[in-house]
């Protein structure tokens, strides 16, 4: 099977930004890009309406993906770009279309909610049922937004990438999430910020009031746990500068704050193979809704 980066396209501004991001990622990886245009058939009464007839359907089925592919080829002349059109519901057919790909890239409205392929339960189904990494890109995302500011203070694609940020749950399986994040940071020749949010154990709450040293001890223990978890990855990726943040409080809040200065935010979701399971976890859900940087959701057991 040919390795590829897949971008979902529905004609919206969000999905066009996602396709452009996917083209940049495919270039970084030296892989071809496949644009998948999912056409959801109109209900029969609308399909027969005068203003929503064959000409409109032909426009969406042919012109929109062709123009998107032509634009990407113009901006990325060395990139191998192919198109595929699929009829059906995005939440059902995109996971199958992305099977075996390096990643699936979709559009998102970010802070104001989600849109495009990510409308309600259909969008959650795409993420929940796709076992390859899924990257969400907000409308209006530009290449320069992922880079450091130039000497004049403006973001510029001519400068280095901003750091990659990853959220880890030390109580779960973090290897797949960390592997993806380290690879992305190494590929971008940038640093990696690892965020571990944690809560004080309930049995310590009253004791902290009596003995503040318990607070400091717990903080040290969590920092030590994070350092221990990261040591093998630091050895595997010696060129990646790693900064670990073990912070008490809500992990989603810490990740959303860190996203403001990131080129990419990486979070995980546990694989649930039940056909009706659409939950992605509260932290991942919050980051998808509020992060300003592109967000990669990495599935893990």
């Amino acid at each position: 099977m040919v390795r590829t980066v897949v971008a979902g396209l529905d004609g919206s501004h969000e999905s066009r930004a996602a396709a452009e991001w996917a083209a940049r990622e495919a270039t970084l990886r030296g892989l071809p890009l496949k644009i998948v245009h999912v056409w959801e058939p109109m209900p029969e009464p609308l399909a027969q309406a005068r203003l929503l007839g064959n000409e409109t359907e032909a426009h969406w089925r042919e012109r929109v993906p062709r123009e998107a592919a032509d634009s990407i080829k113009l901006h990325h002349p060395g990139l191998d770009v192919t198109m595929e059109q699929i009829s059906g519901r995005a939440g059902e057919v995109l996971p199958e279309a992305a099977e075996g790909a390096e990643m699936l890239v979709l559009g998102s409205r970010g802070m104001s909610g989600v849109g495009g392929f990510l409308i309600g339960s259909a969008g959650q189904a795409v993420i929940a049922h796709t076992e390859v990494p899924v990257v969400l890109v907000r409308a209006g995302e530009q290449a320069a937004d992922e880079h450091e500011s130039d000497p004049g203070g403006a973001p510029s694609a001519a400068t280095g990438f901003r750091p990659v940020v990853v959220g880890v749950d030390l109580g779960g399986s973090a290897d797949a999430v960390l592997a993806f994040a380290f690879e992305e940071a190494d590929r971008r020749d940038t640093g990696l910020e690892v965020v571990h949010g944690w809560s004080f154990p309930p049995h310590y709450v009253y004791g902290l009031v009596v003995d503040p040293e318990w607070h400091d001890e717990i903080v040290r223990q969590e920092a030590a746990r994070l350092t221990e978890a990261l040591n093998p990855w630091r050895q595997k990726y010696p060129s990646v500068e790693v900064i670990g943040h073990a912070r008490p409080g809500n992990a989603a809040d810490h990740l959303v704050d860190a996203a403001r200065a990131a080129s990419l935010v990486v979070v995980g979701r546990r694989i649930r193979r039940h056909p009706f399971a659409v939950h992605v976890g509260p932290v991942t859900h919050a980051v998808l809704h509020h992060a300003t940087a592109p967000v990669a959701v990495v599935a893990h057991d």
Side-chain angles (χ1 to χ4, degrees), residues 5 38 52 72 147 158 257 291:
V5 173
V38 178
L52 294 173
I72 288 174
H147 291 257
D257 287 342

Side-chain angles (χ1 to χ4, degrees), residues 236-262:
K236 186 174 181 178
Y237 294 89
S239 63
V240 176
E241 182 180 352
V242 183
I243 300 176
H245 303 286
R247 295 170 175 168
N250 188 289
D253 291 341
H254 297 321
L255 286 167
V256 170
D257 287 342
R260 297 188 178 96

Side-chain angles (χ1 to χ4, degrees), residues 166 174-185 233 236-237 266 298:
V166 59
D175 284 352
V177 179
L178 284 172
F180 183 92
F182 269 91
E183 289 168 5
E184 290 298 297
W233 296 98
K236 186 174 181 178
Y237 294 89
V266 183
V298 180

Side-chain angles (χ1 to χ4, degrees), residues 39 66 122 148 168 177 196 201 213 235 265 281:
W39 174 258
R66 184 179 67 249
E148 300 287 357
V168 295
V177 179
H196 165 48
E213 290 187 4
Q235 295 174 13
V265 179

Side-chain angles (χ1 to χ4, degrees), residues 14-25:
E14 301 94 89
S15 69
R16 289 181 180 272
E20 280 290 337
W21 190 95
R24 298 194 296 272
E25 179 70 16

Side-chain angles (χ1 to χ4, degrees), residues 204-260:
Y204 277 111
V205 173
Y206 296 105
L208 291 175
V209 178
V210 178
D211 189 355
E213 290 187 4
W214 284 6
H215 174 280
D216 295 339
E217 178 59 26
I218 296 171
V219 170
R220 284 193 294 268
Q221 289 177 3
E222 292 298 326
R225 289 181 65 210
L226 180 58
T227 297
E228 183 179 1
L230 292 177
N231 281 339
W233 296 98
R234 284 189 168 104
Q235 295 174 13
K236 186 174 181 178
Y237 294 89
S239 63
V240 176
E241 182 180 352
V242 183
I243 300 176
H245 303 286
R247 295 170 175 168
N250 188 289
D253 291 341
H254 297 321
L255 286 167
V256 170
D257 287 342
R260 297 188 178 96

Side-chain angles (χ1 to χ4, degrees), residues 60-81:
W60 285 99
R61 287 181 66 92
E62 300 173 11
R63 183 177 175 183
V64 170
R66 184 179 67 249
E67 288 182 347
D70 289 345
S71 175
I72 288 174
K73 290 177 181 177
L74 181 64
H75 291 100
H76 306 273
L79 182 63
D80 180 8
V81 182

